[in-house]
Structure formats: structure tokens, C-alpha cells
Amino acid sequence: MKKKLLGALLGITMAAGLLAGCSAPAKDSTGGAQSPSAKARTLSEIKESGTIKIGVFSDKNPFGYVDANGKIQGYDVYFAKRLAKDLLGSEDKVEFVYVEAASRVEYLKSAKVDVILANFTVTDERKEQVDFALPYMKVALGVVSPDDKLIKDAADLKDKTLIVVKGTTAETYFSQNHPEIKLLKFDEYQEAYDALLDGRGDAFSTDNTEVLAWALQNKGFTVGIESIGNTDTIAAAVQKGNTELLEWINEEIKTLGDEQFFHKDFEETLKPVYGDEIDPENLVVEGGQV
């Protein structure tokens, strides 16, 4: 009787193990879990729902951030609200979804958002995974560091630690072009800035527009390298193959160019931060034409 009971228990245990194995997440070629995939909503489905889901940053001032009153603000947010207004009749019809730099592609692939508007730099690698709309901004990388130990050239970072955010062009650029520089990587921008303030790294690199804004608001820090690497473009992105939505956004950008919309966006969201430090012509792209 004991043998039969033991056998039954063993059978149940093996079956449970098999079931657990069947439900384990699929692995990619590197052994990591694959990103889930889901079909994105079409333009018609978005209109029928009455809401468009747009992924933005919540901690990247002045492009996408939550202010002291708990409201989402910024250059990308201003644009997102206009998309909702022109598509659905009201800027209140946008549902903001907060994303991290490294999660932007995954949020599109898994259809958690319809559009990403999170300071998304266009790269060839990303083009293979998502579809980019026409650009609305241009940018290069910058490096901010303490005034008393100012980094003025990449060579100054030898034997030092550079802070970057995972999934950004800064991480890619320095990994590929300066492997001799030690990188300290974080998931979120606020974590990266906290690390710089705490002295856990010697400098921080991300888009020059952002580090310039941050340095203006944080005494004792200066952008010693205002431009490094290529000048890139920033664009909205949709799930690969979501052609109808992509074409609508492109036409919207062309139309907005006629009214100099992104210059107005600059005046409302960036000018109060930068003052005269940045010429809008060095950043703003109208009508998708660089």
C-alpha cells in the first residue's frame, strides 16, 4: 500500500514538473526570456476606443517629467496632447504610460502603448524592431560632471567611471567607441543623477539637451562636453507594421510644421529651462524636415 501511495505521489510530482516546464517563459538565443508580442491597435481601433495610449518618461525633465503638483509635463508631453486633440478631439483623451529607456521597444512590441514619445533617438538597430515617424527634434550626446573635476574630453574619462542609463544611445556609443571607460549603468534617469550627486561616478552622459538643462538647475555641475558622437534625430515610434497609425502621425507632423508647432512647444516647455543657452534652431525640427 505504501509503495502504491509513494508511486502515486511520485507521478503527481513528475506531472507537476512537466506542467511547470510547459508554462516556463520562452528563451531567446542568449538564454533570456523573450519579450511578449501582441498586435497593436489600428488607427480605427484607437478612434473607436476614444483614448490613445502614449509612452512617455516621467523623470526626464524637461522632456517628460512629473512636476511638483503630480502633473505630467514636458516637450514630448506637449506633443502627445496635441496628437490626442487632433485625433480624438481633446488633449484629455491621451492615456500616459510611464516608460524607462530600456523598456520603450518592449512596450511597443507588447502593445502596452500605441505610440512611444519618450525622447526616442532613431538608430538603425531600433528601426529593425519598431517603425519611426518623421523626426521632430535633433540631438547629440553631452557629458556633465562636477565643476571641480570637470570632464572636457573623452580622454579625461580614462580610469574614471561614466554613468549612463541602460538602453540609451549614450550606453551604445561609449560601449562601442570607448570600451576603456568604465560604465555604471542604471535603469532610470533619476537613479543616474542621484549617483552623480552622490559621487558614485565621475560624470554622466545622455542627450546634450537634457544634461544642459540639468546643469542649469544644479549648481556645481557643468556640461564640459556639449556634443560628442553623431547628431541624431528624435521621433515618435509605433509597433512594427502599424502602417495606418504611422502614416497618420507623419501627416500630422507635416501639418504641424505649417504652424511652427514645435517652436511653440520649445517656447512653452524648454525656453523656461534653457533661457538663451540653446538656440531652438539647433534642436527643433519642423514638418519632419531636418
Side-chain angles (χ1 to χ4, degrees), residues 7-262:
L9 290 171
L10 182 60
I12 292 171
T13 302
M14 291 177 67
L18 287 170
L19 287 171
C22 290
S23 61
K27 302 289 184 180
D28 61 20
S29 59
T30 62
Q34 291 178 348
S35 296
S37 181
K39 184 174 175 55
R41 298 193 301 170
T42 64
L43 183 64
S44 298
E45 289 171 337
I46 293 170
K47 288 180 178 179
E48 289 174 8
S49 75
T51 303
I52 184 168
K53 297 179 181 180
I54 299 182
V56 296
F57 284 130
S58 63
D59 62 347
K60 192 168 184 178
N61 186 353
F63 299 96
Y65 67 100
V66 177
D67 67 16
N69 297 316
K71 294 184 178 181
I72 186 69
Q73 306 280 5
Y75 187 81
D76 291 339
V77 173
Y78 190 95
F79 180 28
K81 289 180 178 179
R82 181 59 183 267
L83 289 180
K85 180 180 179 181
D86 289 350
L87 179 63
L88 302 171
S90 170
E91 64 179 32
D92 296 328
K93 296 294 181 70
V94 57
E95 177 184 335
F96 288 110
V97 179
Y98 299 153
V99 300
E100 295 175 358
S103 69
R104 289 173 293 189
V105 170
E106 186 274 331
Y107 269 50
L108 286 174
K109 285 186 173 181
S110 58
K112 292 178 182 176
V113 297
D114 303 305
V115 183
I116 285 287
L117 269 181
N119 223 231
F120 210 6
T121 305
V122 179
T123 68
D124 290 337
E125 181 181 6
R126 289 170 178 168
K127 284 180 181 179
E128 295 177 359
Q129 304 181 75
V130 302
D131 284 338
F132 283 103
L134 294 172
Y136 62 91
M137 193 167 71
K138 51 192 173 184
V139 70
L141 294 175
V143 178
V144 61
S145 53
D147 290 343
D148 57 354
K149 296 180 181 178
L150 191 62
I151 301 297
K152 297 182 179 180
D153 187 87
D156 295 339
L157 287 165
K158 184 181 179 182
D159 300 323
K160 292 183 172 61
T161 298
L162 177 65
I163 300 166
V164 296
V165 174
K166 296 175 184 177
T168 62
T169 49
E171 179 191 18
T172 301
Y173 174 79
F174 282 99
S175 295
Q176 294 179 351
N177 297 280
H178 294 282
E180 75 281 3
I181 297 174
K182 179 183 177 182
L183 300 182
L184 178 59
K185 304 177 183 181
F186 292 94
D187 291 317
E188 299 181 0
Y189 283 92
Q190 190 57 56
E191 293 176 326
Y193 283 121
D194 288 344
L196 181 61
L197 289 167
D198 294 343
R200 282 174 278 161
D202 299 285
F204 172 52
S205 180
T206 188
D207 294 348
N208 56 3
T209 48
E210 188 196 342
V211 289
L212 284 165
W214 188 85
L216 288 171
Q217 298 171 334
N218 290 269
K219 187 177 180 180
F221 291 87
T222 298
V223 179
I225 303 176
E226 292 192 1
S227 181
I228 189 170
N230 298 325
T231 298
D232 297 310
T233 55
I234 302 288
V238 302
Q239 190 182 88
K240 198 76 176 171
N242 197 355
T243 307
E244 187 183 20
L245 177 58
L246 182 68
E247 290 178 349
W248 183 86
I249 295 174
N250 282 338
E251 289 304 313
E252 173 77 350
I253 289 171
K254 292 176 184 178
T255 301
L256 292 176
D258 295 335
E259 62 180 76
Q260 295 290 287
F261 170 82
F262 290 104

